[in-house]
Amino acid sequence: MKLVVLFLVALTVYVDSFPDDDYTWTHHDAEALKRVLDETARECPDITRVYSPGKSVKNVDLWTIEITDNPGVHEPGEPEFKYVGNMHGNEVVGREILLILIPYLCKEYNKGTPTIVELVDNTRIHIMPTMNPDGYAIALEEFLKTGSNSWTVGRQNANNVDLNRNFPDMDKKFFKLQKMHSKINNHITMTMQEIGHLLQKETQVILNWMTEYPFVLSANLHGGDIVANYPFDASKDGRPHYQKCADDAVFIELSKAYSQAHATMSDPGRKKCDMTEESFDDGITNGADWYPVPGGKEKMLTTVQ
């Protein structure tokens, strides 16, 4: 737990030392994104591995970088963690944050920063800056043409599908079996057999990725309100209310570790999101209590992990 909290906190505090005042903030297209990963791998070859777990609808690699002391190897007892950004193509903040976090981990490891050395040496970290490169390209094209971006253009993938509604609804199956007092524990397989919609290529990549690597925790970075959202992400009756999972206390602790290290997330006096009047105690929320999301990525990860 200590290492996971360290990693979550690292994402919110690294800006104190990196990037410096000379850093130029800019959008990274597909080529620039890959260049950040490759340059980091060249600077820190002993702790990095760049790979692609699969491709998008338009055949673009979902480039990922692994950062650990023994890249390419699963070490028994060492937790595997993943960050995913840009699931919605026009939500770019997470993408850009991860593209700063990646070289930060490399540089601080080389400097011998104790917390980062401990983190990298004892955690296998996987970072995918974009899950939806096709949607990002669509949003970027509109921005370059018009100078602005509507909140729907580029949100979906190239097939116009919202990837955060495309995953198997594991919560629904879990709630059903719970109601039946069933002791059957193969609901993952059962749900995969009962999917009533076509899985997008990007969704399938993530599912295969989760099968290949035994992730113990994941964070998915969206744009929008400033809040740490934790499971369950759906409720039994489909209406907004608190729906806690078995690890509720753990997820609350992890969410607070993130929000309280953030500059404004846990500040009750911060400016609210333009699209909501809601405020969140300590800068965190149970997903189902905020608004239920059928077929979201979070519920798949919660049930599997």
Side-chain angles (χ1 to χ4, degrees):
M1 174 67 78
K2 177 184 175 183
L3 288 170
V4 171
V5 170
L6 274 174
F7 190 47
L8 290 170
V9 171
L11 182 61
T12 61
V13 300
Y14 66 81
V15 290
D16 290 338
S17 58
F18 180 82
D20 57 27
D21 293 337
D22 294 330
Y23 183 83
T24 301
W25 291 87
T26 183
H27 284 283
H28 292 76
D29 61 15
E31 183 178 338
L33 181 153
K34 181 60 162 45
R35 188 162 55 246
V36 171
L37 272 57
D38 289 340
E39 290 175 351
T40 301
R42 283 193 293 271
E43 186 174 351
C44 294
D46 294 335
I47 62 167
T48 59
R49 178 175 68 99
V50 176
Y51 69 99
S52 171
K55 297 177 182 292
S56 68
V57 170
K58 290 193 172 181
N59 212 37
V60 179
D61 283 295
L62 305 187
W63 289 113
T64 301
I65 189 167
E66 175 187 343
I67 303 177
T68 186
D69 63 333
N70 194 10
V73 178
H74 171 69
E75 300 178 37
E78 183 176 75
E80 304 224 13
F81 181 96
K82 67 180 174 66
Y83 264 131
V84 175
N86 204 205
M87 183 181 199
H88 290 138
N90 62 351
E91 295 177 7
V92 300
V93 174
R95 174 188 179 113
E96 296 303 326
I97 286 175
L98 293 177
L99 289 175
I100 297 175
L101 176 65
I102 289 166
Y104 166 79
L105 293 173
C106 164
K107 294 178 186 299
E108 294 301 308
Y109 188 89
N110 283 345
K111 286 167 55 178
T113 303
T115 53
I116 301 303
V117 171
E118 180 182 5
L119 190 65
V120 172
D121 285 350
N122 295 282
T123 314
R124 193 180 184 194
I125 303 161
H126 304 255
I127 302 177
M128 179 187 287
T130 179
M131 180 186 159
N132 187 4
D134 299 345
Y136 175 85
I138 293 169
L140 180 60
E141 181 180 15
E142 184 199 38
F143 180 79
L144 293 175
K145 287 181 178 179
T146 67
S148 63
N149 180 244
S150 62
W151 77 275
T152 57
V153 175
R155 175 183 173 88
Q156 292 87 354
N157 71 348
N159 288 333
N160 202 32
V161 173
D162 187 334
L163 297 176
N164 203 35
R165 306 295 189 276
N166 188 241
F167 282 80
D169 196 342
M170 304 301 294
D171 288 353
K172 183 178 181 180
K173 173 60 69 174
F174 176 81
F175 294 148
K176 180 180 179 181
L177 293 175
Q178 189 181 56
K179 184 176 181 179
M180 296 167 56
H181 303 288
S182 173
K183 295 182 179 181
I184 297 174
N185 62 3
N186 65 334
H187 55 276
I188 298 173
T189 302
M190 294 167 61
T191 303
M192 294 296 289
Q193 293 173 345
E194 298 172 3
I195 297 173
H197 61 268
L198 176 67
L199 292 179
Q200 296 298 298
K201 283 187 67 175
E202 297 89 351
T203 306
Q204 192 62 61
V205 168
I206 298 299
L207 295 176
N208 293 341
W209 194 32
M210 291 166 51
T211 300
E212 183 176 358
Y213 297 95
F215 298 114
V216 299
L217 192 68
S218 172
N220 191 24
L221 304 183
H222 285 268
D225 216 329
I226 305 175
V227 63
N229 181 97
Y230 61 90
F232 277 128
D233 215 22
S235 63
K236 293 181 180 180
D237 59 12
R239 294 194 291 268
H241 59 77
Y242 200 106
Q243 189 74 60
K244 71 178 183 179
C245 67
D247 296 316
D248 190 62
V250 174
F251 281 118
I252 289 175
E253 180 180 351
L254 292 172
S255 299
K256 285 184 177 180
Y258 188 100
S259 69
Q260 291 173 359
H262 189 278
T264 60
M265 188 175 290
S266 61
D267 180 2
R270 71 168 178 81
K271 181 180 179 181
K272 293 183 174 62
C273 176
D274 291 339
M275 297 180 65
T276 179
E277 293 300 319
E278 293 182 88
S279 60
F280 304 97
D281 293 340
D282 296 314
I284 68 175
T285 185
N286 174 263
D289 197 32
W290 187 12
Y291 63 93
V293 177
K297 179 171 176 284
E298 181 182 274
K299 62 188 62 181
M300 184 71 191
L301 299 174
T302 306
T303 310
V304 172
Q305 292 167 181

